[in-house]
Amino acid sequence: MTMGDSIHGSSSSSKWFFFFLSSSLSLNLFLLYLFFFGRQSDRLTWTRQAALEAEAVASLSCSGHGRAFLDGIGSSQGEPACECYACYAGSDCSELLPDCPADAESGDPLFLEPFWMQRAERSAVVAYEAQTHLFNSEDYEWKGDAFQWKNTSDSSVNTIEFVTSPNNPDGQLRRPVIQGRFTKVIHDHAYYWPHFTAIPSMVDEDIMLFTLSKITGHAGTRFG
Ligand SMILES: Cc1ncc(COP(=O)(O)O)c(C=O)c1O
């Protein structure tokens, strides 16, 4: 390498240095300008606009017989409108159409949810008698680890075994241990997610509990 090469090299790298320095300064000045002056603009950002639209939609109840959509049927000027469930009509879905057969098995299984939410007292008694008796907690006593009762439990006594599978904290898949005609098993699958243990197959038990608590942190959110 000659002296000329080295001088040429250092002058071209300082050109790049000034180029990046001036680009970075300009960008920062531009962002500062946006930060101080851009916010005074009356224009809505898309997130604020979306939040306002979501609030407008949420404020429309649709009488519990429909769902509000911003782009719903009949909404022309970007105003939220109700899309009524089967057998309901009107701008707020309050008109019940006479002699209208509704097929409860077609479509959204939650289509009656808002209706029952408005009638919480009556919806609370939707239960079968046998299940209600079985789970009457007054008749039950906590007996501890099911392994202790595996061989000693009286097979004619109503028993509920909770099976946590995968188990907390070891992540082991578990099976019920108490046998008997009067034993019911509740499978707690809160940890049935592949990052806790390898999931060998789909589960299909009579009573299963799932939650989003361990996957997304939405504690108390259940399905099953
Ligand atoms: C094994 C097991 N089942 C159920 C739950 C309850 O989950 P949730 O947060 O949905 O109440 C937990 C919560 O810690 C748990 O560890």
Side-chain angles (χ1 to χ4, degrees), residues 164 168 188 190-191 211 213-214 218-222:
T164 304
N168 178 9
D188 180 337
Y191 288 92
T211 171
S213 163
K214 312 298 170 195
H218 289 90
T221 309
R222 281 159 224 288

Side-chain angles (χ1 to χ4, degrees), residues 78-109:
E79 290 294 313
C82 290
E83 213 170 278
C84 303
Y85 300 137
C87 300
Y88 287 92
S91 59
D92 66 346
C93 304
S94 58
E95 293 166 31
L96 176 62
L97 302 176
D99 303 323
C100 171
D103 180 0
E105 287 188 20
S106 72
D108 182 0

